[in-house]
Protein backbone atom coordinates (compact mmCIF):
# COMPACT_ATOMS: atom_id res chain seq x y z
CA UNK A 1 0.00 0.00 0.00
CA UNK A 2 1.34 3.42 -0.97
CA UNK A 3 0.85 6.36 1.41
CA UNK A 4 0.86 10.00 0.34
CA UNK A 5 0.54 13.18 2.38
CA UNK A 6 -1.37 15.56 0.15
CA UNK A 7 -2.18 15.22 -3.54
CA UNK A 8 0.90 16.77 -5.15
CA UNK A 9 2.96 13.63 -5.66
CA UNK A 10 4.22 12.12 -8.93
CA UNK A 11 3.76 8.63 -7.46
CA UNK A 12 -0.01 8.99 -7.22
CA UNK A 13 -1.92 6.83 -9.68
CA UNK A 14 -3.26 8.89 -12.61
CA UNK A 15 -6.75 7.47 -11.99
CA UNK A 16 -8.42 5.70 -9.10
CA UNK A 17 -11.58 4.62 -7.34
CA UNK A 18 -11.75 6.59 -4.10
CA UNK A 19 -13.68 6.68 -0.86
CA UNK A 20 -13.42 9.51 1.65
CA UNK A 21 -13.62 9.42 5.42
CA UNK A 22 -11.88 9.77 8.77
CA UNK A 23 -11.71 5.96 9.19
CA UNK A 24 -11.19 6.22 12.94
CA UNK A 25 -10.95 2.61 14.04
CA UNK A 26 -11.58 1.18 10.55
CA UNK A 27 -14.64 -0.65 11.89
CA UNK A 28 -16.85 -3.19 10.13
CA UNK A 29 -18.81 -0.48 8.34
CA UNK A 30 -15.57 0.90 6.92
CA UNK A 31 -14.45 -2.61 6.02
CA UNK A 32 -17.65 -3.28 4.07
CA UNK A 33 -17.24 0.01 2.20
CA UNK A 34 -13.61 -0.75 1.38
CA UNK A 35 -14.59 -4.19 0.13
CA UNK A 36 -17.07 -2.61 -2.28
CA UNK A 37 -14.47 -0.03 -3.31
CA UNK A 38 -11.95 -2.77 -4.15
CA UNK A 39 -14.52 -4.61 -6.27
CA UNK A 40 -15.43 -1.47 -8.23
CA UNK A 41 -11.76 -0.57 -8.70
CA UNK A 42 -10.96 -4.06 -9.99
CA UNK A 43 -13.88 -3.92 -12.44
CA UNK A 44 -12.47 -0.68 -13.87
CA UNK A 45 -8.85 -1.79 -13.82
CA UNK A 46 -7.74 1.07 -11.57
CA UNK A 47 -6.28 1.17 -8.05
CA UNK A 48 -8.41 1.71 -4.94
CA UNK A 49 -7.74 4.81 -2.85
CA UNK A 50 -8.81 5.86 0.64
CA UNK A 51 -8.66 9.57 1.39
CA UNK A 52 -8.49 10.55 5.03
CA UNK A 53 -7.66 13.61 7.11
CA UNK A 54 -5.16 14.59 9.82
CA UNK A 55 -5.99 16.08 12.16
CA UNK A 56 -9.56 14.88 12.49
CA UNK A 57 -11.78 17.76 11.24
CA UNK A 58 -13.48 17.95 14.64
CA UNK A 59 -10.05 18.27 16.29
CA UNK A 60 -9.35 21.20 14.00
CA UNK A 61 -12.61 23.00 14.80
CA UNK A 62 -12.30 22.28 18.53
CA UNK A 63 -8.87 23.92 18.55
CA UNK A 64 -10.12 26.79 16.39
CA UNK A 65 -12.92 27.49 18.86
CA UNK A 66 -10.71 27.02 21.91
CA UNK A 67 -13.01 24.23 23.12
CA UNK A 68 -10.96 21.01 23.40
CA UNK A 69 -13.94 19.20 24.90
CA UNK A 70 -15.54 19.23 21.43
CA UNK A 71 -12.76 17.06 19.99
CA UNK A 72 -13.78 13.41 19.64
CA UNK A 73 -11.94 10.73 21.56
CA UNK A 74 -9.61 8.91 19.17
CA UNK A 75 -10.16 5.20 18.60
CA UNK A 76 -6.83 4.62 16.88
CA UNK A 77 -3.60 6.34 16.03
CA UNK A 78 -2.66 7.21 12.46
CA UNK A 79 -0.31 4.20 12.46
CA UNK A 80 -3.15 1.85 13.37
CA UNK A 81 -5.48 3.43 10.85
CA UNK A 82 -2.97 2.90 8.06
CA UNK A 83 -2.26 -0.65 9.22
CA UNK A 84 -5.95 -1.55 9.13
CA UNK A 85 -6.43 0.08 5.72
CA UNK A 86 -3.56 -2.04 4.43
CA UNK A 87 -5.17 -5.17 5.90
CA UNK A 88 -8.34 -4.21 4.00
CA UNK A 89 -6.35 -4.28 0.77
CA UNK A 90 -6.38 -0.58 -0.16
CA UNK A 91 -3.85 0.24 -2.88
CA UNK A 92 -3.10 3.81 -1.89
CA UNK A 93 -3.98 6.19 0.94
CA UNK A 94 -3.99 9.97 0.65
CA UNK A 95 -3.75 11.91 3.92
CA UNK A 96 -5.01 15.45 3.48
CA UNK A 97 -3.95 17.97 6.13
CA UNK A 98 -7.13 19.45 7.55
CA UNK A 99 -6.25 23.13 7.82
CA UNK A 100 -7.73 26.56 7.15
CA UNK A 101 -7.42 26.16 3.39
CA UNK A 102 -9.28 22.85 3.30
CA UNK A 103 -11.89 23.96 5.83
CA UNK A 104 -12.72 26.99 3.70
CA UNK A 105 -12.64 25.27 0.31
CA UNK A 106 -15.96 25.32 -1.54
CA UNK A 107 -17.55 21.96 -2.45
CA UNK A 108 -17.11 22.78 -6.13
CA UNK A 109 -13.39 23.47 -5.70
CA UNK A 110 -12.96 20.29 -3.66
CA UNK A 111 -14.46 18.26 -6.50
CA UNK A 112 -12.37 19.94 -9.19
CA UNK A 113 -9.06 20.44 -7.38
CA UNK A 114 -8.92 17.34 -5.18
CA UNK A 115 -11.05 14.65 -6.80
CA UNK A 116 -10.53 15.45 -10.48
CA UNK A 117 -7.17 17.23 -10.80
CA UNK A 118 -5.54 15.71 -7.74
CA UNK A 119 -6.71 12.09 -7.82
CA UNK A 120 -8.14 11.51 -11.28
CA UNK A 121 -11.22 9.99 -9.63
CA UNK A 122 -13.31 7.77 -11.91
CA UNK A 123 -15.44 6.31 -9.13
CA UNK A 124 -16.30 7.96 -5.80
CA UNK A 125 -17.92 5.98 -2.98
CA UNK A 126 -19.28 7.79 0.09
CA UNK A 127 -21.38 7.02 3.13
CA UNK A 128 -25.04 7.88 3.49
CA UNK A 129 -24.25 10.85 5.77
CA UNK A 130 -21.40 12.28 3.68
CA UNK A 131 -20.97 16.08 3.68
CA UNK A 132 -18.02 18.09 2.40
CA UNK A 133 -16.73 21.56 1.60
CA UNK A 134 -16.99 24.84 3.46
CA UNK A 135 -19.60 24.68 6.25
CA UNK A 136 -20.44 21.13 5.07
CA UNK A 137 -22.54 22.56 2.24
CA UNK A 138 -21.65 19.78 -0.20
CA UNK A 139 -23.78 16.63 -0.14
CA UNK A 140 -24.35 13.44 -2.12
CA UNK A 141 -26.75 15.08 -4.60
CA UNK A 142 -24.16 17.75 -5.46
CA UNK A 143 -21.45 15.13 -5.85
CA UNK A 144 -23.66 12.95 -8.03
CA UNK A 145 -24.57 15.88 -10.31
CA UNK A 146 -20.88 16.76 -10.63
CA UNK A 147 -20.08 13.16 -11.52
CA UNK A 148 -22.62 13.16 -14.33
CA UNK A 149 -21.27 16.44 -15.66
CA UNK A 150 -17.56 15.63 -15.32
CA UNK A 151 -17.56 11.94 -16.18
CA UNK A 152 -16.99 10.01 -12.95
CA UNK A 153 -19.31 7.55 -11.22
CA UNK A 154 -20.70 8.25 -7.76
CA UNK A 155 -22.17 5.70 -5.35
CA UNK A 156 -23.51 5.83 -1.84
CA UNK A 157 -23.38 3.03 0.71
CA UNK A 158 -26.07 2.71 3.35
CA UNK A 159 -25.30 2.22 7.02
CA UNK A 160 -23.83 -1.09 8.08
CA UNK A 161 -25.62 -2.72 11.00
CA UNK A 162 -24.76 -5.48 13.47
CA UNK A 163 -27.81 -6.90 15.29
CA UNK A 164 -29.76 -3.75 14.47
CA UNK A 165 -27.03 -1.37 15.68
CA UNK A 166 -25.55 1.05 13.16
CA UNK A 167 -21.78 0.52 13.17
CA UNK A 168 -19.94 3.82 13.48
CA UNK A 169 -16.86 5.30 15.08
CA UNK A 170 -19.21 6.96 17.58
CA UNK A 171 -20.52 3.56 18.71
CA UNK A 172 -16.98 2.18 18.94
CA UNK A 173 -15.98 5.15 21.11
CA UNK A 174 -19.00 4.59 23.34
CA UNK A 175 -18.13 0.91 23.81
CA UNK A 176 -14.51 1.73 24.65
CA UNK A 177 -15.51 4.52 27.04
CA UNK A 178 -17.79 2.05 28.84
CA UNK A 179 -15.00 -0.53 29.01
CA UNK A 180 -17.09 -2.98 26.98
CA UNK A 181 -14.25 -4.54 25.05
CA UNK A 182 -16.38 -7.39 23.67
CA UNK A 183 -18.84 -4.93 22.15
CA UNK A 184 -15.97 -2.88 20.72
CA UNK A 185 -14.51 -6.05 19.18
CA UNK A 186 -17.87 -6.92 17.59
CA UNK A 187 -18.06 -3.47 16.00
CA UNK A 188 -14.43 -3.55 14.86
CA UNK A 189 -14.44 -7.17 13.70
CA UNK A 190 -11.34 -7.90 15.81
CA UNK A 191 -10.06 -7.17 19.33
CA UNK A 192 -9.27 -3.52 19.98
CA UNK A 193 -5.56 -3.15 19.22
CA UNK A 194 -2.95 -0.43 19.74
CA UNK A 195 0.43 -0.71 18.06
CA UNK A 196 3.66 1.24 17.98
CA UNK A 197 7.39 1.24 18.62
CA UNK A 198 8.47 0.23 22.10
CA UNK A 199 9.97 3.35 23.72
CA UNK A 200 12.02 4.01 26.84
CA UNK A 201 10.36 5.04 30.08
CA UNK A 202 11.64 5.70 33.59
CA UNK A 203 12.25 1.95 34.07
CA UNK A 204 10.52 2.24 37.43
CA UNK A 205 8.47 -0.90 36.89
CA UNK A 206 11.50 -3.20 36.82
CA UNK A 207 12.46 -1.93 40.29
CA UNK A 208 9.10 -2.73 41.86
CA UNK A 209 8.28 -5.93 43.73
CA UNK A 210 11.38 -7.86 42.76
CA UNK A 211 10.81 -10.16 45.68
CA UNK A 212 7.15 -10.69 44.74
CA UNK A 213 7.81 -11.53 41.09
CA UNK A 214 10.88 -13.67 41.71
CA UNK A 215 12.65 -11.87 38.87
CA UNK A 216 15.38 -9.30 38.70
CA UNK A 217 13.31 -6.76 36.83
CA UNK A 218 10.10 -6.54 38.85
CA UNK A 219 7.13 -5.34 36.77
CA UNK A 220 9.03 -4.64 33.56
CA UNK A 221 6.78 -2.85 31.05
CA UNK A 222 6.62 -2.34 27.30
CA UNK A 223 5.83 1.31 26.62
CA UNK A 224 3.92 2.45 23.52
CA UNK A 225 2.93 6.05 22.93
CA UNK A 226 -0.65 6.77 21.91
CA UNK A 227 -0.16 9.80 19.68
CA UNK A 228 -3.33 11.64 20.60
CA UNK A 229 -4.17 13.38 23.83
CA UNK A 230 -7.68 11.92 24.09
CA UNK A 231 -7.85 8.11 23.67
CA UNK A 232 -11.28 6.51 23.45
CA UNK A 233 -10.25 3.88 26.02
CA UNK A 234 -8.38 4.26 29.28
CA UNK A 235 -7.68 2.22 32.37
CA UNK A 236 -6.19 -1.16 33.23
CA UNK A 237 -6.66 -4.11 30.85
CA UNK A 238 -5.87 -7.78 30.38
CA UNK A 239 -3.97 -7.88 27.08
CA UNK A 240 -2.24 -10.01 24.49
CA UNK A 241 0.98 -8.72 22.90
CA UNK A 242 1.85 -9.73 19.33
CA UNK A 243 4.99 -9.13 17.30
CA UNK A 244 7.75 -9.62 19.86
CA UNK A 245 7.81 -13.39 20.12
CA UNK A 246 6.59 -16.43 18.24
CA UNK A 247 3.50 -16.67 20.42
CA UNK A 248 1.22 -13.96 21.83
CA UNK A 249 2.32 -12.79 25.28
CA UNK A 250 -0.28 -12.46 28.03
CA UNK A 251 -0.10 -9.46 30.29
CA UNK A 252 -1.73 -6.51 32.00
CA UNK A 253 -1.59 -2.94 30.68
CA UNK A 254 -2.28 0.62 31.76
CA UNK A 255 -3.55 3.02 29.10
CA UNK A 256 -3.54 6.64 30.21
CA UNK A 257 -1.43 9.31 31.86
CA UNK A 258 -0.18 7.31 34.87
CA UNK A 259 -1.50 9.53 37.72
CA UNK A 260 0.74 7.90 40.34
CA UNK A 261 3.99 8.85 38.61
CA UNK A 262 6.01 12.03 38.32
CA UNK A 263 4.53 14.10 35.44
CA UNK A 264 8.06 15.26 34.61
CA UNK A 265 9.24 11.78 33.62
CA UNK A 266 10.55 11.06 30.11
CA UNK A 267 6.99 10.46 28.80
CA UNK A 268 5.32 12.96 31.14
CA UNK A 269 2.14 14.50 29.76
CA UNK A 270 1.79 11.88 27.03
CA UNK A 271 -0.75 9.11 26.84
CA UNK A 272 1.14 5.86 27.22
CA UNK A 273 0.22 2.19 26.97
CA UNK A 274 2.38 0.39 29.54
CA UNK A 275 2.21 -3.41 29.34
CA UNK A 276 3.66 -5.91 31.78
CA UNK A 277 4.04 -9.34 30.17
CA UNK A 278 3.75 -12.26 32.55
CA UNK A 279 6.40 -14.31 30.74
CA UNK A 280 9.20 -12.23 29.24
CA UNK A 281 10.73 -13.87 26.11
CA UNK A 282 14.27 -14.93 26.91
CA UNK A 283 15.36 -14.24 23.33
CA UNK A 284 14.70 -10.53 23.80
CA UNK A 285 17.12 -10.21 26.69
CA UNK A 286 16.93 -7.24 28.98
CA UNK A 287 16.74 -4.50 26.35
CA UNK A 288 15.75 -6.34 23.17
CA UNK A 289 12.23 -4.96 22.79
CA UNK A 290 13.17 -1.29 22.37
CA UNK A 291 12.52 -0.01 18.87
CA UNK A 292 10.47 -3.05 17.86
CA UNK A 293 6.82 -2.68 16.82
CA UNK A 294 4.40 -4.35 19.23
CA UNK A 295 0.67 -4.90 18.71
CA UNK A 296 -1.32 -4.96 21.96
CA UNK A 297 -4.87 -6.34 22.04
CA UNK A 298 -6.93 -4.90 24.90
CA UNK A 299 -9.27 -7.80 25.69
CA UNK A 300 -10.85 -7.03 29.05
CA UNK A 301 -11.01 -3.91 31.22
CA UNK A 302 -10.19 -4.48 34.88
CA UNK A 303 -10.80 -0.95 36.19
CA UNK A 304 -10.16 2.75 35.60
CA UNK A 305 -6.77 4.31 36.32
CA UNK A 306 -6.13 4.77 40.03
CA UNK A 307 -3.84 7.15 41.87
CA UNK A 308 -1.72 5.42 44.51
CA UNK A 309 -0.23 7.36 47.42
CA UNK A 310 3.04 5.42 47.59
CA UNK A 311 5.24 3.03 45.63
CA UNK A 312 4.26 0.25 48.04
CA UNK A 313 0.58 0.88 47.29
CA UNK A 314 1.36 1.01 43.57
CA UNK A 315 3.22 -2.29 43.80
CA UNK A 316 0.33 -3.95 45.60
CA UNK A 317 -2.12 -2.56 43.05
CA UNK A 318 -0.12 -3.86 40.10
CA UNK A 319 0.21 -7.27 41.76
CA UNK A 320 -3.58 -7.46 42.17
CA UNK A 321 -4.09 -6.39 38.56
CA UNK A 322 -1.76 -9.19 37.46
CA UNK A 323 -3.74 -11.69 39.50
CA UNK A 324 -7.04 -10.44 38.07
CA UNK A 325 -5.71 -10.55 34.50
CA UNK A 326 -4.45 -14.11 35.00
CA UNK A 327 -7.89 -15.03 36.33
CA UNK A 328 -9.46 -13.57 33.20
CA UNK A 329 -7.23 -15.64 30.94
CA UNK A 330 -7.97 -18.73 33.00
CA UNK A 331 -11.71 -18.20 32.72
CA UNK A 332 -14.08 -19.17 29.91
CA UNK A 333 -14.64 -15.51 29.02
CA UNK A 334 -11.57 -15.09 26.86
CA UNK A 335 -12.96 -14.23 23.39
CA UNK A 336 -12.14 -16.80 20.74
CA UNK A 337 -14.68 -16.11 17.99
CA UNK A 338 -12.89 -13.07 16.58
CA UNK A 339 -9.59 -13.17 14.67
CA UNK A 340 -6.56 -11.84 16.53
CA UNK A 341 -4.20 -9.31 15.01
CA UNK A 342 -1.82 -12.11 14.01
CA UNK A 343 -4.60 -14.19 12.43
CA UNK A 344 -5.85 -11.17 10.48
CA UNK A 345 -2.34 -10.56 9.14
CA UNK A 346 -1.95 -14.22 8.15
CA UNK A 347 -5.29 -14.24 6.34
CA UNK A 348 -4.42 -11.03 4.50
CA UNK A 349 -1.13 -12.55 3.36
CA UNK A 350 -2.87 -15.70 2.10
CA UNK A 351 -5.44 -13.62 0.20
CA UNK A 352 -2.67 -11.76 -1.65
CA UNK A 353 -0.67 -14.85 -2.68
Amino acid sequence: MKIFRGINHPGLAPACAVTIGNFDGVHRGHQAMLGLLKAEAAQRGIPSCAMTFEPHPRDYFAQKLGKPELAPARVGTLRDKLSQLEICGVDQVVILPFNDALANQSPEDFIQDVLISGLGARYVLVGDDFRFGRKRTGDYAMLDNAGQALGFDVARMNSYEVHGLRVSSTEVRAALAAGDMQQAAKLLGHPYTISGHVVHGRKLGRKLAESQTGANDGFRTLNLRFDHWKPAASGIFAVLVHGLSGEPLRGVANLGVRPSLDPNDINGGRVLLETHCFDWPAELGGEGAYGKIAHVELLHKLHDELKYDSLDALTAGIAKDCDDARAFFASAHTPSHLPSYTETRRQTTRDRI
Side-chain angles (χ1 to χ4, degrees):
M1 184 179 78
K2 296 181 179 180
I3 301 169
F4 302 94
R5 287 188 176 270
I7 54 177
N8 298 314
H9 293 279
L12 272 170
C16 70
V18 62
T19 188
I20 307 165
N22 293 304
F23 299 109
D24 190 20
V26 193
H27 53 63
R28 290 174 67 179
H30 294 141
Q31 294 161 27
M33 177 173 283
L34 293 168
L36 176 57
L37 180 75
K38 284 176 56 183
E40 294 289 342
Q43 186 178 36
R44 291 166 172 77
I46 53 178
S48 59
C49 176
M51 174 181 287
T52 190
F53 308 98
E54 281 293 331
H56 192 294
R58 287 170 59 192
D59 277 0
Y60 163 86
F61 288 113
Q63 182 178 18
K64 197 79 172 174
L65 295 171
K67 296 182 177 181
E69 68 275 8
L70 297 180
R74 188 64 66 92
V75 174
T77 63
L78 178 59
R79 167 186 289 279
D80 287 323
K81 178 195 297 189
L82 295 174
S83 177
Q84 289 298 325
L85 289 173
E86 183 179 23
I87 287 173
C88 290
V90 175
D91 294 311
Q92 66 181 25
V93 175
V94 173
I95 306 167
L96 280 188
F98 200 93
N99 50 26
D100 288 348
L102 188 60
N104 291 305
Q105 190 174 42
S106 69
E108 295 83 2
D109 285 347
F110 180 85
I111 292 170
Q112 184 60 57
D113 297 344
V114 177
L115 296 182
I116 301 300
S117 300
L119 296 179
R122 294 184 185 174
Y123 173 86
V124 180
L125 176 64
V126 296
D128 55 4
D129 57 353
F130 180 69
R131 305 293 294 234
F132 66 103
R134 184 172 53 240
K135 297 184 178 180
R136 293 170 52 84
T137 51
D139 58 13
Y140 176 78
M142 175 185 290
L143 186 62
D144 188 42
N145 289 335
Q148 294 184 50
L150 298 173
F152 62 90
D153 296 328
V154 179
R156 173 171 53 186
M157 186 168 178
N158 292 328
S159 300
Y160 186 89
E161 295 186 356
V162 174
H163 298 303
L165 176 65
R166 181 179 184 271
V167 178
S168 67
S169 296
T170 299
E171 291 296 336
V172 176
R173 294 184 191 109
L176 293 175
D180 191 343
M181 308 312 290
Q182 289 191 350
Q183 177 66 4
K186 289 178 182 177
L187 296 171
L188 293 168
H190 55 81
Y192 178 57
T193 304
I194 295 173
S195 66
H197 287 95
V198 179
V199 300
H200 289 272
R202 289 181 62 191
K203 300 179 174 60
L204 175 64
R206 66 181 64 185
K207 300 176 183 178
L208 297 175
E210 292 180 358
S211 61
Q212 294 186 32
T213 62
N216 294 324
D217 57 2
F219 294 115
R220 172 190 292 274
T221 60
L222 299 166
N223 303 321
L224 308 183
R225 289 174 182 155
F226 189 93
D227 293 329
H228 192 270
W229 65 275
K230 192 176 181 180
S234 65
I236 314 302
F237 300 85
V239 302
L240 283 178
V241 180
H242 300 264
L244 298 181
S245 183
E247 296 296 326
L249 304 174
R250 294 181 174 186
V252 63
N254 182 104
L255 175 60
V257 294
R258 307 166 309 287
S260 297
L261 300 183
D262 179 0
N264 295 316
D265 69 45
I266 189 172
N267 290 297
R270 292 177 174 174
V271 177
L272 205 66
L273 178 64
E274 294 180 309
T275 302
H276 170 63
C277 299
F278 300 146
D279 299 303
W280 187 255
E283 66 268 22
L284 288 178
E287 310 295 321
Y290 292 118
K292 294 183 181 295
I293 296 178
H295 308 272
V296 183
E297 294 180 354
L298 282 64
L299 300 181
H300 173 68
K301 183 170 181 176
L302 300 174
H303 58 79
D304 290 333
E305 278 194 293
L306 300 174
K307 182 174 177 59
Y308 296 100
D309 295 330
S310 67
L311 289 182
D312 286 343
L314 174 61
T315 299
I318 296 174
K320 184 180 186 304
D321 292 338
C322 289
D323 290 341
D324 291 344
R326 286 189 177 96
F328 165 76
F329 285 115
S331 74
H333 300 296
T334 306
S336 60
H337 61 288
L338 291 170
S340 69
Y341 176 88
T342 302
E343 291 167 340
T344 302
R345 277 291 186 187
R346 286 173 181 165
Q347 182 61 50
T348 303
T349 301
R350 287 196 296 266
D351 290 345
R352 292 182 180 181
I353 294 176

